Amino acid sequence: MRLPEEFSFNCPLKINCGSHAVAHLPAALSAANAHAPLILANRDQVGKKGLNTVVDAFKTSGLTLGIYDRLPDLPEPDLMPVLARMYRDGGCDSVIAVGNGSVVDTAKCLNLMVSAGDHGASADCGNCMDKPSVLRPLMVVATAGGNGDEVTGYANDGVHRLRSSRLVPAAVFIDPAMLGDQDDHQVVDGALIALTHAVETFIDASTGPMCRAYAHTAIGLIVKFLPLVLRKTDRKKNLCAVVNGQVAAGCAFSASPPGICHVLATQFKESTDLSLGFLMSILLPHLVAEAGLVQPEQVGELLYPMVGPDIFSVTAADLKTSRTTVLIWEFFDAINTELVQKIPTSLMGAGLTDEQINRIQSRVGRGATNGHVARIIDSARQDPDMTAGW
């Protein structure tokens, strides 16, 4: 195990997982000295049954609830002052986000606004970032289709991408009852984003052992259970495992800088309708292959969470890196077998032109990583040799 000379890791998140996990919400709030939560949700995302499951957890608690279940699909800055007034007029002292994506982003931004003392006069949550204060308790009830960003210190207020360790929720609740029928494409996209974040964190030489432990857990859970989810085998149980993997990936991602795949895919997303997770997946095998040339021992360690200790221990050291790359191709192949909309095998297969690819490369590939970025992009530009992988 390698140990960087300097690293930092902080994970204040509490994870509650299992059947009837949401039933522990009242106790968790009471432990945080909170007694009047505002529940935020998107009714189309979570469904009436899911929202009722959360509300029913409070039937005998004696706590006062506020509920707003009409959040839009994307964060809307103009909505923040309205929610802030609702929060204060209702005497609320905490926030519960039921769902993923923009629901949790909105909850984080609202919590930042009301905790910082902004009385709803400004919808720009970015103005609150520099005001030191302790945020109110924020709980997240996870649903299928997230990507791990929900438990990070990142949030999108509709205008800015905010980052602060104070934005990390106090707790996340992963309950099979909340993991209803989600679109396979959305589930896969979120899982692929989380997997890419975990892999990039795992091979980052600057991350510490605790951060890599979370990434290790995330990789193992997603690689093992995502194909089972798509095969509809004990779906809710396997979805629960995938969501746990996404949460673990989010914890790791919070403590590490965004990697090359994340940065490139975010840039490529501006030029294609392909989802972010699918773009990351196009790049990921090529990133692993490139990293294997520079740090073969670290990349070889990726094999462990993918195959387990028995196979890892009997695999020759000089074969671990190449085997890891092949397994990533095979994992994506297994996913594609179950999907209607396949993960493209190249950037050009994703509809990107040479001009678009070159423009992004010139924008991102600067400094010490320029050579690595160029080789990853060139390798991912066109379909790979089918005899060597996918």
Side-chain angles (χ1 to χ4, degrees), residues 188-212:
V188 170
D189 184 58
L192 294 179
I193 291 173
L195 177 64
T196 302
H197 287 165
V199 170
E200 293 202 285
T201 298
F202 192 88
I203 63 178
D204 186 341
S206 67
T207 58
M210 281 67 74
C211 188
R212 294 181 75 237

Side-chain angles (χ1 to χ4, degrees), residues 119-386:
H119 293 283
S122 170
D124 182 5
C125 294
N127 292 336
C128 306
M129 294 299 290
D130 297 328
K131 299 179 180 180
S133 62
V134 177
L135 268 60
R136 311 291 173 83
L138 169 62
M139 311 287 177
V140 174
V141 178
T143 57
N147 59 35
D149 207 46
E150 293 80 8
V151 301
T152 69
Y154 291 97
N156 177 13
D157 67 359
V159 178
H160 306 97
R161 171 79 164 169
L162 310 178
R163 182 182 184 183
S164 170
S165 60
R166 295 185 296 148
L167 292 173
V168 176
V172 60
F173 295 80
I174 306 172
D175 190 324
M178 300 301 299
L179 306 179
D181 292 333
Q182 294 285 336
D183 176 72
D184 281 351
H185 183 277
Q186 185 181 5
V187 170
V188 170
D189 184 58
L192 294 179
I193 291 173
L195 177 64
T196 302
H197 287 165
V199 170
E200 293 202 285
T201 298
F202 192 88
I203 63 178
D204 186 341
S206 67
T207 58
M210 281 67 74
C211 188
R212 294 181 75 237
Y214 275 89
H216 180 287
T217 298
I219 295 166
L221 288 172
I222 294 172
V223 168
K224 179 177 180 180
F225 290 101
L226 183 59
L228 298 179
V229 168
L230 298 178
R231 294 168 194 155
K232 309 298 188 290
T233 304
D234 205 352
R235 186 174 172 88
K236 285 192 175 182
K237 179 180 178 181
N238 291 319
L239 263 176
C240 193
V242 171
V243 173
N244 270 278
Q246 292 168 344
V247 168
C251 294
F253 184 61
S254 271
S256 62
I260 291 175
C261 283
H262 174 95
V263 174
L264 285 175
T266 302
Q267 294 290 323
F268 285 131
K269 186 70 182 72
E270 299 174 1
S271 303
T272 176
D273 292 332
L274 193 68
S275 57
L276 187 62
F278 281 41
L279 282 168
M280 288 184 179
S281 298
I282 295 172
L283 297 163
L284 185 60
H286 306 283
L287 168 79
V288 172
E290 172 67 18
L293 299 175
V294 181
Q295 45 190 28
E297 183 176 350
Q298 290 176 223
V299 174
E301 290 176 4
L302 273 173
L303 186 64
Y304 191 111
M306 298 178 71
V307 300
D310 293 339
I311 295 178
F312 179 82
S313 63
V314 299
T315 303
D318 59 346
L319 296 178
K320 285 185 169 69
T321 299
S322 59
R323 182 59 181 149
T324 298
T325 305
V326 169
L327 279 177
I328 291 176
W329 286 117
E330 291 178 352
F331 170 72
F332 291 144
D333 191 40
I335 297 301
N336 269 348
T337 300
E338 307 296 334
L339 287 179
V340 174
Q341 181 180 348
K342 312 296 184 183
I343 304 170
T345 56
S346 67
L347 293 173
M348 298 190 76
L352 292 161
T353 65
D354 273 324
E355 180 182 356
Q356 291 169 330
I357 295 171
N358 293 336
R359 183 170 65 249
I360 298 303
Q361 180 175 330
S362 64
R363 186 189 306 171
V364 176
R366 298 174 181 175
T369 63
N370 184 36
H372 297 301
V373 170
R375 286 189 290 273
I376 291 169
I377 290 177
D378 286 343
S379 180
R381 189 181 297 261
Q382 297 183 4
D383 286 338
D385 181 359
M386 302 302 288

